[in-house]
């Protein structure tokens, strides 16, 4: 836990509060249990009252302590949920006001088993690499082609499900320049463990120069090309993944629609029983331009 | 064919072919298969050599005795626990080996020794087995044995249905085991991911195995819950009012109410998945109008109550053991009952916390966050009540008590981390992460600890001798150590952001934690060895550890009143209940040796082989469906229906034990337990003795004025 962004920091703040209050209750309870075990062990000093089994005072305390604790925690929890709600994070809106201008929009499509990041305003797309400018709020729309994934960058923002045929949202603001890892957290099949991406937080200036470099990339991404791109592929190793200098307008919505209409990218049976052979085959296919 | 399948299919064998037998070409499964075959041969050989087939058939396989059915449930649970542990071992080994990009790979894997496809199956099998085929049968078995004894009943309300539930569960367990050697298992988690479990993404038979095994056990457990509820409501001994009900029975009642209301939802959610996979419907698909959230809702409407279905009996066990070994009444009986039902009640309204990250509106997440935390209130109350039960008691640290106290401390850790998960903004950070895994393992280990406690505690009641303590204590302490070594690093990794179900961990920095977890697993393996030694030594020295009726000397509830081991009819004379903690009350008032005069004939159900046969046909049905061998499934269905019809015409389903035989059994029980001096026996089982001593004591106790209560156990009530 090393929060580097606004949302992660907010979560962390409430996390500390929550744990603190819990420890305040749990530690004394454990101590009480140990004390009772020692004090009232057989042959110990404790008085023995076999019939003593009821006391209104103790009953009141016994119900009262959990009741108050849960009350306080519930209040905090609701507050926290609203603070980091991915659809309208109050914190992000405030950061937006401060930063001025427009937020950066990024469309995220999870395939089996890669992440495609589309920058609709900039008409570019990258694979397994997310680059965002420091201090500027980033708003994501997310969907998946095949199965459910979970999008998370632990140091910047918590998990949000990425579901096929549906669109979810997420937002983040980063505080420091640096490189952070993002994952898919929900089980999505054989390539899950390799389905991570790097998040680079760069300065505003660096960001715009990065955008123009990508824009010069000759590769274009259309829906047809995407259908090829989305075939099951395990991105083992740190090989650089495709970047696209031009992206078909509205590709994100087109993909959501295709999936809603029933398009699937089937998993071939027994594709990974022999991983090494499978990957050799995959490399061959890649050379032939299959993906 | 109903839907398009990848791979071949033939009318005779369905999807089954030689390539589907992994033990022919995967070395790990090859060895396992060899060992299993060898073990099977040893068992079959031993039974044949000893000439015990008849005994096995008459005494166990066809029995409807609730105690023996319970024992068989527990045996299934233990075998599956072992299998689940082997899975855990393989997972931990893989994760310890496959850390960082430079970790080597073996046997077709890039890192570690398991391919993603293979470890995916192990993850799914581990979860399903531990929850559905280990914890559930273990607890159902315990409830089966103990509840009728605690309420003074002769058997369950529906003994035949009871056997039916057992053999359906056994069929499900057998199906999971079959997947090990024939075909493969689901590789997408035990609770099923949609649309991952649709044919497009899980084209093999694994998901079908998972689905049908799950379905069989769900039917079995539902039948069992109907039976236990009926038993508790209708079969209580005279005088056992609701507020005199032993606390474990209360827990069983609340837990089975949960089961009865939630398991049918599971059956439906699995059946809809079946329609998708077999008929090509679109309930849970992403496209074509399907809605995958439907599955998540339906599944967890069962899934969360299931958690409390497991935990309430565990709490019940703790509430029985702690007073016995504190030599004191349970603190706050009424509160405990209310708390059990409060937990059960809340359990229906929290399921959404299993998908907090699905981007529901903040108001929705807030609601479920708060309801989830509400569970903390009755649970907290229970913890305090147990502590106050020890307060002003005389706490004896014998094995059952040690397990119960371990469960208490695990509950503190599990409860605290559970509250942390319920705090939704925390959950966003680690929802599909290792922290959640570590949390629910605390809860499951708590359940396991109380099960071990319960087995130690009630073992003498069922088998007539206590388990030895030396190896048992080693087993206990190594379990404690193993738990620490495995789960402390797991909590740390969880906070560091490690996610679930990884077959390869990209961060070399996490390697040390994985290796510490491996030490923990090694400690668990040693614990397992001590457990086996514990069982072996106990069996060998059983004559030294013979137990009296009141095996621990400070038992409080009704089950301690009859002999250990319990005769088939439980109580020679149905006892009258005078108070809560009846047996403790009788001991205080010197009423332990009451006799009701003459024994009366006892009406009991007869053995039947029908449930076993129907269970076997259900297995064949599910196996046929899994492999799409339609003729096999069809024949099985016809035979099942036929068996049910035939059985319903069978009139001769019960028998009567004549009074002479009851007397003989009672005498024999007393003679084996107290062969030397009958007169000096400290404690006699209630309402049993046919000797002069007992009559003398009865008149003595009447002098004390007990008869004024007017509820001496005179009447024998036939059900
Ligand atoms: Cu586990
Ligand atoms: Cu839950």
């Amino acid at each position: 836990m090393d929060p580097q962004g606004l949302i992660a920091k907010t979560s962390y703040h409430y996390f500390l509060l929550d744990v603190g209050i819990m420890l305040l209750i749990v530690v004394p309870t454990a101590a009480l249990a140990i004390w009772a075990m020692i004090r009232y062990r057989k042959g110990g000093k404790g008085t023995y009252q076999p019939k003593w089994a009821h006391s209104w005072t103790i009953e009141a305390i016994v119900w009262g302590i959990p009741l108050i604790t849960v009350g306080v925690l519930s209040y905090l929890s609701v507050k926290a949920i609203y603070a980091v709600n991915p659809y309208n994070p109050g914190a992000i809106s405030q950061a937006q006001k401060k930063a001025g201008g427009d937020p950066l929009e990024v469309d995220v499509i999870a395939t089996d088993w890669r992440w495609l990041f589309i920058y609709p305003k900039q008409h570019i797309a990258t694979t397994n690499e997310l680059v965002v400018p420091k201090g500027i709020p980033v708003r994501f729309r997310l969907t998946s082609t095949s199965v459910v994934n979970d999008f998370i960058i632990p140091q910047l923002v918590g998990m949000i499900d990425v579901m096929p045929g549906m669109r979810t949202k997420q937002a983040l603001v980063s505080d420091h320049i640096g490189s952070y890892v993002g994952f898919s957290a929900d089980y999505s099949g054989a390539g899950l463990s390799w389905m991570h991406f790097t998040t680079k937080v760069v300065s505003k200036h660096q960001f715009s120069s990065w955008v123009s470099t990508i824009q010069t990339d000759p590769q274009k991404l259309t829906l047809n090309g995407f259908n090829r791109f989305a075939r099951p592929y395990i991105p083992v190793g740190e090989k650089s993944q495709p970047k696209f200098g031009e992206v078909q307008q509205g590709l994100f919505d087109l993909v959501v629609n295709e999936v809603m209409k029933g398009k699937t990218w089937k998993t071939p049976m027994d594709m990974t029983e022999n991983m090494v052979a499978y990957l050799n085959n995959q490399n061959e296919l890649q050379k032939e331009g299959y993906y | 064919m109903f839907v398009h399948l990848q791979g071949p299919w033939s009318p005779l064998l369905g999807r089954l072919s030689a390539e589907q037998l992994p033990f022919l070409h995967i070395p790990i499964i090859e060895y396992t298969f060899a060992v299993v075959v060898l073990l099977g041969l040893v068992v079959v050989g031993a039974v044949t050599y000893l000439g015990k087939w008849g005994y096995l058939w008459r005494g166990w396989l066809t029995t409807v005795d609730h105690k023996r059915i319970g024992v068989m449930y527990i045996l299934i649970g233990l075998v599956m626990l072992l299998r689940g542990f082997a899975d855990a071992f393989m997972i931990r080994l893989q994760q310890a080996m496959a850390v960082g990009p430079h970790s080597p790979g073996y046997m077709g894997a890039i890192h570690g020794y398991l391919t993603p496809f293979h470890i995916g199956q192990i993850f799914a099998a581990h979860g399903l087995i531990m929850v559905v085929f280990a914890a559930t049968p273990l607890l159902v078995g315990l409830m089966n044995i103990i509840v009728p004894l605690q309420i003074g009943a002769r058997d369950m309300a529906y003994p035949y249905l009871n056997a039916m539930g057992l053999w359906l569960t056994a069929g499900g367990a057998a199906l999971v085991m079959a997947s090990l050697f024939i075909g493969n298992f689901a590789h997408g988690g035990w609770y099923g991911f949609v649309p991952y479990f649709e044919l497009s993404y899980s084209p093999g038979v694994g998901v079908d195995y998972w689905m049908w095994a799950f379905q069989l056990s769900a039917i079995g457990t539902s039948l069992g819950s109907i039976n236990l509820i009926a038993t508790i409501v209708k079969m209580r001994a005279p005088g056992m009012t609701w507020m005199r009900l032993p606390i474990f029975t209360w827990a069983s009642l609340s837990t089975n109410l949960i089961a009865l209301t939630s398991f049918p939802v599971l059956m439906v959610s699995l059946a809809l998945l079946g329609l998708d996979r077999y008929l090509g419907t679109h309930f849970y698909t992403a496209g074509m109008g399907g809605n995958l959230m439907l599955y998540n809702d339906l599944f967890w409407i069962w899934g969360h109550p299931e958690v409390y279905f497991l935990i309430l009996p565990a709490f019940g066990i703790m509430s029985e053991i702690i007073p016995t070994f504190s030599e004191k009444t349970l603190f706050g009986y009424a509160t405990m009952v209310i708390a059990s039902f409060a937990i059960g009640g809340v359990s229906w309204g929290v399921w959404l916390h299993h998908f907090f990250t699905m981007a529901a509106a903040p108001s929705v997440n807030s609601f479920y966050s708060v309801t989830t935390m509400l569970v903390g209130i009755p649970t907290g109350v229970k913890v305090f009540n147990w502590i106050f039960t020890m307060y002003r008691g005389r706490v004896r640290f014998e094995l059952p008590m040690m397990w119960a106290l371990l469960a208490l401390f695990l509950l503190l850790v599990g409860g605290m981390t559970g509250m942390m998960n319920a705090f939704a903004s925390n959950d966003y950070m680690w929802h599909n992460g290792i922290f959640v895994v570590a949390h629910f393992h605390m809860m499951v280990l708590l359940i396991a600890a109380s099960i071990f406690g319960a087995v130690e505690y009630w073992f003498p009641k069922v088998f007539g001798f206590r388990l030895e303590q030396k190896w048992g204590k080693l087993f206990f302490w190594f379990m404690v150590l193993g738990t620490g070594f495995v789960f402390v690093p797991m909590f740390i990794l969880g906070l560091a952001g490690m996610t679930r179900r990884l077959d390869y961990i990209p961060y070399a920095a996490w390697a040390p934690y994985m290796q510490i977890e491996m030490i923990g697993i090694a400690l668990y393996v040693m614990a397992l060895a001590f457990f086996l030694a514990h069982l072996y030594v106990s069996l060998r020295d059983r004559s030294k550890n013979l137990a009296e009726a009141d095996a621990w000397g400070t038992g409080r509830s009704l089950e301690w009143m009859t002999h250990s081991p319990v005769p088939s009819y439980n109580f020679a004379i149905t006892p009258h209940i005078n108070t809560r903690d009846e047996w403790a009350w009788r001991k205080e008032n010197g009423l332990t040796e009451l006799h009701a005069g003459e024994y009366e004939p006892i009406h009991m159900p007869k053995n039947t082989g029908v449930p076993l046969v129907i269970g076997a046909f259900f297995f064949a049905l599910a196996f046929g469906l899994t492999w799409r061998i339609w003729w096999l499934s069809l024949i099985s269905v016809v035979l099942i229906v036929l068996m049910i019809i035939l059985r319903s015409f069978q009139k001769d389903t019960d028998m009567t034990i004549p009074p002479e035989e009851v007397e003989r059994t009672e005498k024999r029980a007393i003679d084996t337990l107290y062969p030397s001096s009958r007169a000096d026996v400290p404690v006699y089982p209630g309402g049993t003795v046919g000797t002069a001593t007992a009559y003398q004591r009865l008149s003595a106790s009447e002098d004390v004025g007990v008869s004024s209560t007017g509820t001496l156990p005179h009447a024998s009530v036939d059900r």
Side-chain angles (χ1 to χ4, degrees), chain B residues 392-412:
Chain B
R392 296 190 188 162
R394 276 196 306 226
V395 182
R396 264 157 48 219
F397 297 99
E398 292 180 57
L399 266 175
M401 184 65 168
M402 289 163 70
W403 285 111
L405 289 172
L406 174 64
L408 195 152
F409 285 105
L410 286 173
L411 177 59
L412 284 178

Side-chain angles (χ1 to χ4, degrees), chain A residues 48 59 77 150 159 181 279, chain B residues 110 327 335 369 428 432 507:
Chain A
Y48 179 51
E59 292 272 5
S77 175
D150 219 340
M159 292 181 188
V181 208
L279 286 169
Chain B
I110 303 171
E327 308 188 1
T335 310
S369 171
Y428 297 159
N432 271 307
Y507 307 102

Side-chain angles (χ1 to χ4, degrees), chain B residues 320-632:
Chain B
E320 292 285 344
I321 294 177
I322 292 175
T324 298
F325 292 92
S326 300
E327 308 188 1
K328 186 168 160 290
T329 323
L330 179 71
F331 181 85
Y333 171 89
T335 310
M336 285 304 226
V337 174
I338 294 168
S340 285
F341 278 78
I343 293 173
V346 177
S347 78
W348 290 300
V350 300
W351 78 89
L352 194 129
H353 64 215
H354 293 273
F355 37 96
F356 267 155
T357 57
M358 223 181 227
S363 52
V364 175
N365 277 1
S366 297
F367 176 83
Y368 285 95
S369 171
V370 172
T371 53
T372 306
M373 287 191 182
L374 285 182
V375 179
I377 300 173
T379 312
V381 168
K382 279 182 177 266
V383 171
F384 284 121
N385 278 359
W386 289 320
I387 294 174
F388 284 109
T389 301
M390 292 191 286
Y391 178 72
R392 296 190 188 162
R394 276 196 306 226
V395 182
R396 264 157 48 219
F397 297 99
E398 292 180 57
L399 266 175
M401 184 65 168
M402 289 163 70
W403 285 111
L405 289 172
L406 174 64
L408 195 152
F409 285 105
L410 286 173
L411 177 59
L412 284 178
V413 181
M416 166 157 167
T417 49
M419 290 291 281
M420 283 161 72
N421 293 337
F423 203 93
S425 72
N426 288 340
D427 185 80
Y428 297 159
M429 297 313 288
W430 59 57
H431 180 78
N432 271 307
I434 285 290
F435 189 88
V436 173
V437 175
H439 153 71
F440 68 66
H441 275 84
M442 288 294 109
M443 300 314 268
V444 178
L445 279 163
L446 168 184
I447 293 164
S450 22
I451 289 171
F452 287 129
V455 169
E456 298 282 346
Y457 183 57
W458 281 308
F459 190 91
K461 184 61 9 200
V462 178
F463 293 100
F465 60 95
R466 270 189 303 274
L467 294 166
E468 61 79 47
Q469 298 251 321
K470 193 181 116 212
W471 293 100
K473 282 191 173 156
L474 274 171
F475 168 50
F476 173 87
W477 285 114
F478 273 80
M479 284 294 285
V480 175
L481 280 176
T483 304
F485 273 88
V486 171
F487 290 103
V488 172
M490 202 182 275
F491 274 119
I492 295 172
L493 284 175
L495 290 177
M498 183 173 158
T499 55
R500 285 174 80 167
R501 299 192 179 89
L502 295 175
D503 54 87
Y504 158 63
I505 293 123
Y507 307 102
W510 288 348
Y513 295 98
M514 297 291 166
Q515 280 143 13
I516 296 172
E517 287 183 34
M518 217 39 223
I519 297 175
I521 286 286
L523 292 167
Y524 273 145
V525 172
M526 286 163 80
L528 176 67
F530 292 133
F531 175 68
L532 295 177
H534 178 47
L535 288 186
Y536 171 73
V537 173
S538 301
L539 257 158
R540 194 191 59 196
D541 299 344
R542 60 182 177 278
S543 51
K544 279 190 230 157
N545 290 325
L546 284 189
E548 297 164 2
D550 187 357
W552 304 98
T554 48
R556 309 189 64 82
S557 43
L558 208 58
E559 74 268 27
W560 303 110
M561 222 169 106
T562 185
H563 307 289
S564 312
V566 184
S568 67
Y569 45 76
N570 292 356
F571 296 88
I573 288 150
T574 300
H576 258 245
I577 312 302
N578 307 285
T579 176
R580 191 184 298 159
D581 287 349
E582 174 76 11
W583 177 238
W585 178 83
R586 288 192 182 213
K587 282 190 288 188
E588 276 161 32
N589 292 294
L591 292 173
T592 53
E593 300 171 36
L594 294 177
H595 180 59
E598 295 302 306
Y599 289 111
E600 288 184 13
I602 294 176
H603 179 210
M604 295 296 286
K606 241 184 186 169
N607 279 10
T608 165
V610 176
L612 173 64
V613 176
I614 293 184
F617 287 145
F618 262 106
F619 172 82
L621 167 64
F623 187 82
L625 285 170
T626 301
W627 288 98
R628 301 179 194 231
I629 310 173
W630 306 124
W631 62 265
L632 178 62

